[in-house]
Amino acid sequence: MPPEPERSCNICPRLVAYRGENQADHPDWWNGPAPSFGDQGARLLIVGLAPGRTGANRTGRPFTGDYAGKLLFETLLKKGFAKGQYDARPDDGLELVDCMITNAVRCAPPGNKPEATEESACRPFLTARINALPNLQVIVTLGDVARRNLLKALSLKASSGVSGHGAEFQAGPYLVINSYHCSRLNTNTGRLTPDMFEAIFHRVRDAIDAR
Ligand code: URA
């Protein structure tokens, strides 16, 4: 299994139909699986949920153009896991440093909610993505869908990984650190503050430095 689905991947009928609707309305959008973005030599992998319709589904780069991307990329820039400038466009020149971002589900789902069958169908790509990163040490999951899918992608039981913001556990060779998703809902309600989010990447830096 390759780490990235083909642009024309048609495994999930509902997501392909949704892509077709978006394609008809917005032929200038990306409208396909959003490829993982970042450094092939990364020691850090961030796993998100799925492309937002007007975010990665439009721009073709994870979290790019999404509300969630602003906090994510600003935090990565602050913590040295990115360089350049984030300008919500795939050609903004932003580069990830020692870091890659992927999604548990690569195509935009209606209402941002993938179905369980879609998560399962896309999971082999997550496994392959992980296996294709030779230097990987730390995985940050953004939200519980990412955490659950990561455990399954690593063939681990759901009970082998605790949940909760800042909770961490060892999953085979990888240290997994959970974060609340940096979604508009979580940030607007104060469930996730910029400081809480930054603390996750502070911990990542310490963990990488300690290895
Ligand atoms: N955009 C993504 O690419 N992934 C998410 O989880 C949210 C927004």
Side-chain angles (χ1 to χ4, degrees):
M1 177 65 76
E4 302 299 323
E6 282 177 21
R7 176 89 191 253
S8 59
C9 182
N10 63 2
I11 299 173
C12 302
R14 191 183 72 120
L15 302 186
V16 172
Y18 190 52
R19 182 195 303 163
E21 286 170 31
N22 287 316
Q23 176 79 39
D25 291 346
H26 302 281
D28 53 321
W29 288 5
W30 173 262
N31 295 315
S36 310
F37 167 50
D39 184 348
Q40 299 292 335
R43 287 179 292 177
L44 166 63
L45 178 68
I46 300 170
V47 183
L49 167 59
R53 177 177 168 272
T54 59
N57 177 65
R58 175 175 60 86
T59 63
R61 196 176 74 178
F63 286 90
T64 300
D66 271 312
Y67 183 91
K70 197 167 177 306
L71 179 59
L72 176 59
F73 289 120
E74 273 173 10
T75 306
L76 294 179
L77 281 162
K78 218 168 179 176
K79 290 294 170 193
F81 288 111
K83 66 179 182 196
Q85 198 184 319
Y86 172 64
D87 201 16
R89 293 179 287 112
D91 59 354
D92 56 12
L94 182 82
E95 282 178 50
L96 298 190
V97 179
D98 209 5
C99 172
M100 181 175 274
I101 303 175
T102 194
N103 279 308
V105 173
R106 306 297 184 89
C107 290
N112 283 332
K113 286 199 176 23
E115 291 182 345
T117 51
E118 293 157 354
E119 293 175 22
S120 302
C122 214
R123 202 173 300 125
F125 293 109
L126 179 56
T127 306
R129 182 67 274 165
I130 291 166
N131 291 339
L133 292 174
N135 302 325
L136 184 62
Q137 294 182 1
V138 179
I139 303 176
V140 169
T141 56
L142 299 181
D144 223 46
V145 174
R147 185 187 66 89
R148 280 194 289 99
N149 277 288
L150 175 70
L151 287 170
K152 288 187 183 167
L154 295 173
S155 303
L156 295 170
K157 286 189 193 147
S159 56
S160 54
V162 280
S163 61
H165 186 78
E168 54 181 71
F169 54 92
Q170 198 65 34
Y174 311 117
L175 175 70
V176 178
I177 305 177
N178 300 322
S179 170
Y180 290 152
H181 195 285
C182 46
S183 65
R184 185 196 299 260
L185 182 68
N186 282 346
T187 51
N188 280 354
T189 56
R191 185 167 196 251
L192 180 70
T193 64
D195 282 354
M196 285 166 70
F197 200 50
E198 220 176 281
I200 296 288
F201 294 94
H202 196 82
R203 171 68 190 121
V204 172
R205 179 63 73 202
D206 281 352
I208 285 178
D209 285 350
R211 285 187 176 222

